[in-house]
């Protein structure tokens, strides 16, 4: 049987269940209770009731809870990886990246949060407000809603919930209905350590996601551009702030003089890890003419050597979300119809489950969907360019802007190119480092997103600032600029402003 995207629906409203199936062979794994939008309002009430105490205990006590959670994650890593691999049709190395990053995030924010959340004094630079004392306080949003995608389900829900918890918020996570099981296990972990009830999950699809947006004071969303727009529209009704991590079409630039072996190994890893279902995965490769043929040969031999399967001796798993198979196949067919050449792969794989052969395309150009739309699958199109200028121009010729990778002759050239790429991150001679280094902000330009995760902003975005202004010196009955306005007081105020803002003799009215 040919791999098919046709499967019974996952969301069963009549039974109130989510049916979770294995992408690797289509068999049933588990049923989960489907929340109704009305349940989300009740969950929000519970979380809001628990949040003030979570905020009150302070960041050091919250760190203790999160460190206990860290220990639980470490102790249960193998099971989490197993569940993540099974429900995603992925090789275990991929969910292992998620559990690793969850621990990295807890460690980073345990170090950074006390300083970031500390009340700090703002020292006014202007003599006009010299006598004032301004203190900057940070207060968490009470309820943060985190809505995640299916490609890295643990990281894109709990990973985004962690900094919100450090900040003192309560969090409702809504994993993708495609892959809710590893997240359910992580929620069990929060209960196992008897942590305060400030973290709950909402299970369902678009309707439940919409209800989460309605209830939350801040929404962290990861998913497609189309859904991101809907989230933004819905959040506009209540002026709820959102942070959006959306789709990508990330380029890899390979120029003459680069280490071609490393560039080819990196291109294959960047294009096919997690079966190409990585928002920052390579979806376009631009290679300078003089090294093009050699580079293509290296890539093709490595892609042919990739082992498809979900066992520990496999490299590339199944496609997690069945409809993705049709998108990938349609883009490859469109490219071929417009003149692209398939050097390997280019077809669905016979058998049960959602499998697509790792594919390399050449003779591609920007008239093809494969070079313009997000593919999110195991396809690497490689395009020949005349040199650096054309590579930069084509890399920027997209509505997306998550990240890019550059292989150049030397560091100087690579950094010059990096400065001209319209993306949120550039990895020089590498892939995904910007994401695996959780100290750094990760966010998209253009339609790839709004805001960022990781680093300082990854935590501070879950807080609101409050400035408390006081006087450092004794105050009289009124300030010089208050009512009543009189000519004498206006002259005095004007004189003071002229003295401060004026230059040279102009300060004294000359
Ligand atoms: P999706 O947009 O279909 O769904 C994402 C989440 O939104 C799911 O939980 C879904 O149930 C929910 N949802 C769907 N419609 C909704 C609505 N109207 N209101 C509220 N919630 C709604 O995306 P997907 O197919 O799950 O994930 C793949 C996409 O995610 C790709 O485009 C990929 O590039 C992107 N992604 C981006 C990043 C990043 O960091 N930028 C990371 C991973 C994935």
């Amino acid at each position: 049987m040919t791999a098919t995207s046709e499967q019974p629906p996952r969301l069963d409203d009549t039974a109130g269940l989510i049916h979770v199936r294995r992408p690797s062979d289509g068999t049933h794994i588990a049923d989960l209770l489907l929340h109704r939008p009305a349940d989300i309002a009740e969950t929000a009430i519970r979380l809001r009731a628990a949040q003030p105490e979570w905020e009150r205990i302070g960041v050091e006590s919250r760190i203790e809870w999160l460190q206990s959670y860290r220990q639980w994650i470490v102790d249960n890593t193998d099971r989490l990886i197993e569940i993540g691999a099974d429900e995603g049709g992925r090789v275990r190395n991929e969910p292992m990246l998620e559990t690793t990053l969850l621990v990295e995030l807890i460690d980073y924010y345990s170090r950074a949060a006390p300083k970031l959340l500390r009340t700090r004094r703002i020292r006014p630079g202007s003599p006009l407000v010299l006598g004032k004392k301004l203190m900057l306080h940070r207060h968490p949003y009470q309820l943060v809603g985190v809505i995640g995608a299916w490609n890295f389900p643990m990281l894109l829900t709990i990973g985004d919930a962690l900094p919100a918890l450090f900040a003192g918020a309560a969090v409702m996570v809504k994993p993708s209905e495609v892959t809710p099981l590893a997240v359910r296990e992580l929620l069990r972990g929060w209960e196992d350590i008897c942590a305060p009830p400030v973290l709950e999950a909402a299970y369902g699809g678009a309707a439940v996601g919409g209800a989460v947006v309605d209830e939350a004071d801040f929404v962290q969303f990861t998913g497609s551009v189309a859904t991101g727009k809907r989230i933004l529209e819905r959040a506009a009704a209540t002026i709820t702030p959102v942070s959006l991590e959306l789709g990508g079409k990330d380029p890899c630039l390979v120029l003459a003089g680069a280490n071609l072996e490393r560039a080819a190994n990196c291109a294959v890893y960047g294009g096919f890890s997690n079966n190409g279902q990585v928002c920052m995965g390579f979806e376009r490769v631009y290679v300078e003419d003089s090294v093009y043929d050699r580079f293509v040969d290296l890539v093709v031999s490595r892609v042919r050597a990739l082992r498809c399967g979900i066992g520990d001796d496999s490299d590339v798993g199944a496609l997690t979300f069945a409809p993705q198979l049709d998108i990938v196949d349609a883009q490859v067919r469109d490219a071929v119809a417009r003149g692209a050449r398939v050097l390997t792969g280019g077809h669905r794989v016979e058998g049960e489950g959602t499998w697509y052969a790792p594919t390399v395309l050449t003779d591609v150009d920007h008239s093809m969907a494969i070079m313009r739309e997000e593919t999110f699958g195991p396809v690497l199109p490689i395009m020949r360019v005349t040199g650096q200028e054309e590579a930069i121009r084509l890399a920027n010729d997209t509505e997306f802007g998550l990240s890019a990778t550059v292989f150049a002759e030397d560091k100087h050239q690579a950094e010059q190119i990096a400065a001209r790429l319209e993306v949120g991150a550039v990895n020089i001679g590498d892939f995904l480092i910007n994401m695996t280094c959780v100290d750094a902000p990760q966010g998209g330009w253009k339609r790839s997103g709004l805001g960022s995760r990781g680093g300082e902003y990854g935590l501070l975005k879950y807080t609101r600032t409050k400035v408390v202004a006081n006087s450092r010196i004794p105050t009289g009955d009124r300030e010089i600029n208050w009512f009543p306005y009189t000519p004498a007081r206006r002259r005095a105020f004007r004189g003071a402003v002229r003295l401060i803002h004026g230059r040279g003799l102009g300060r004294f009215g000359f």
Side-chain angles (χ1 to χ4, degrees):
M1 188 185 125
T2 303
T4 174
S5 57
E6 283 170 31
Q7 290 196 341
R10 281 172 186 272
L11 297 181
D12 183 346
D13 276 322
T14 320
L17 293 174
I18 304 176
H19 303 300
V20 187
R21 279 182 293 274
R22 286 185 185 83
S24 57
D25 61 10
T27 54
H28 173 262
I29 312 178
D31 289 335
L32 228 75
L33 275 183
L34 174 63
H35 280 119
R36 290 165 295 125
D39 300 329
I40 306 309
E42 285 170 27
T43 309
I45 290 170
R46 279 197 303 278
L47 287 167
R48 285 187 191 282
Q51 185 275 336
E53 178 61 9
W54 181 244
E55 183 179 354
R56 193 200 60 76
I57 62 174
V59 65
E60 295 298 344
S61 298
R62 293 197 293 274
I63 288 173
E64 281 178 31
W65 280 115
L66 283 149
Q67 283 294 323
S68 303
Y69 193 41
R70 174 196 191 281
Q71 193 53 47
W72 185 92
I73 293 171
V74 170
D75 292 344
N76 292 276
T77 290
D78 288 341
R79 196 170 69 258
L80 291 168
I81 290 174
E82 201 55 48
I83 298 170
D86 198 28
E87 69 176 337
R90 302 188 293 161
V91 185
R92 287 186 188 81
N93 298 52
E94 314 297 357
M96 189 170 73
L97 176 67
E98 296 188 80
T99 53
T100 305
L101 287 178
L102 290 182
V103 172
E104 289 279 309
L105 280 163
I106 295 177
D107 286 348
Y108 166 65
Y109 284 117
S110 293
R111 290 192 303 273
K115 188 162 171 234
L116 291 173
L117 295 173
R118 195 175 295 153
T119 297
R120 69 177 179 87
R121 184 161 171 188
I122 295 171
R123 295 186 185 278
S126 167
L128 273 178
V129 280
L130 210 51
K132 304 299 174 194
K133 179 181 172 189
L134 294 125
M135 300 304 290
L136 178 69
H137 302 263
R138 293 209 168 257
H139 295 271
Y141 286 101
Q142 191 175 34
L143 180 57
V144 169
V146 178
I147 301 174
W150 44 257
N151 59 327
F152 289 102
M154 293 188 266
L155 189 62
L156 304 177
T157 52
I158 300 299
D160 281 321
L162 291 171
L165 290 168
F166 274 98
V171 186
M172 182 159 16
V173 293
K174 196 209 83 64
S176 166
E177 63 277 30
V178 182
T179 51
L181 298 179
V183 176
R184 181 177 66 169
E185 198 60 17
L186 280 162
L187 262 295
R188 195 172 290 161
W190 188 255
E191 282 174 20
D192 274 6
I193 63 165
C194 300
V198 288
L199 177 65
E200 290 202 43
Y203 298 108
V208 170
V212 171
V213 176
D214 292 344
E215 293 297 335
D217 303 317
F218 185 100
V219 176
Q220 167 65 46
F221 172 77
T222 307
S224 60
V225 174
T227 310
K229 285 183 193 166
R230 281 182 212 118
I231 301 271
L232 209 48
E233 279 168 17
R234 190 141 181 172
T238 45
I239 322 272
T240 300
V242 300
S243 184
L244 304 174
E245 300 290 338
L246 308 177
K249 190 78 193 163
D250 286 4
C252 173
L253 286 65
V254 182
L255 298 166
N259 176 344
L260 281 195
E261 291 279 341
R262 182 173 171 87
N265 288 330
C266 184
V268 175
Y269 180 63
F272 298 94
S273 61
N274 211 41
N275 207 0
Q277 304 164 119
V278 181
C279 55
M280 284 176 277
F282 296 157
E283 298 224 345
R284 301 175 286 151
V285 186
Y286 301 103
V287 187
E288 188 164 351
D289 193 28
S290 59
V291 293
Y292 180 86
D293 292 336
R294 170 96 184 109
F295 176 82
V296 169
D297 284 349
L298 288 171
V299 166
V300 169
S301 65
R302 281 156 179 72
V303 173
R304 287 196 178 128
L306 289 174
R307 298 154 304 171
C308 292
I310 49 168
D312 281 342
D313 54 359
S314 310
D315 301 307
V316 178
L319 281 166
T320 302
F321 184 41
Q324 203 63 31
L325 204 52
D326 292 337
I327 295 172
V328 172
D329 202 35
Q331 288 192 8
V332 171
R333 282 166 189 268
D334 166 77
V336 171
R338 291 167 190 271
R341 273 201 312 145
V342 178
L343 297 194
T344 183
H347 56 85
R348 298 165 192 244
V349 176
E350 294 290 313
E352 301 296 335
T354 44
W355 297 85
Y356 199 87
T359 299
V360 177
L361 299 177
T362 55
D363 296 355
V364 289
D365 62 48
H366 278 217
S367 72
M368 302 170 182
I370 203 87
M371 296 300 275
R372 306 201 71 85
E373 294 168 20
E374 190 176 44
T375 308
F376 225 55
V379 182
L380 197 65
I382 309 178
M383 185 168 172
R384 189 191 293 267
V385 293
T386 51
Q388 173 180 315
E389 291 308 309
E390 191 181 15
I392 295 173
R393 183 178 61 74
L394 289 170
N396 287 337
D397 179 25
T398 172
E399 62 182 21
F400 298 105
L402 274 182
S403 77
T405 282
V406 178
F407 283 92
E409 183 164 13
D410 56 38
K411 199 172 126 204
H412 178 71
Q413 186 192 17
E415 285 175 356
Q416 298 280 314
I417 295 169
R420 295 172 59 193
L421 293 173
E422 298 162 0
V423 289
V426 179
N427 294 299
I428 294 176
D430 220 320
F431 172 61
L432 218 58
I433 294 303
N434 66 300
M435 200 192 94
T436 50
C437 175
V438 298
D439 313 46
Q442 177 224 311
W445 286 23
K446 301 179 183 173
R447 297 203 185 160
S448 286
L450 197 62
S452 59
R453 59 159 64 95
E456 298 185 1
Y457 179 74
L459 182 146
L460 293 179
K461 71 183 176 189
Y462 294 126
T463 66
R464 296 161 286 190
T465 54
K466 181 185 284 176
V467 172
V468 177
N470 205 338
S471 191
R472 290 197 297 134
I473 49 177
T475 49
D477 291 343
R478 61 167 62 88
E479 297 288 324
I480 191 171
N481 55 323
W482 290 3
F483 296 136
Y485 292 157
T486 65
R489 286 153 60 87
R490 183 162 45 246
R491 268 197 306 278
F493 186 64
R494 176 80 186 99
V497 170
R498 191 162 43 217
L499 203 60
I500 293 163
H501 291 173
R503 293 279 180 271
L505 288 177
R507 290 174 153 200
F508 307 101
F510 297 110

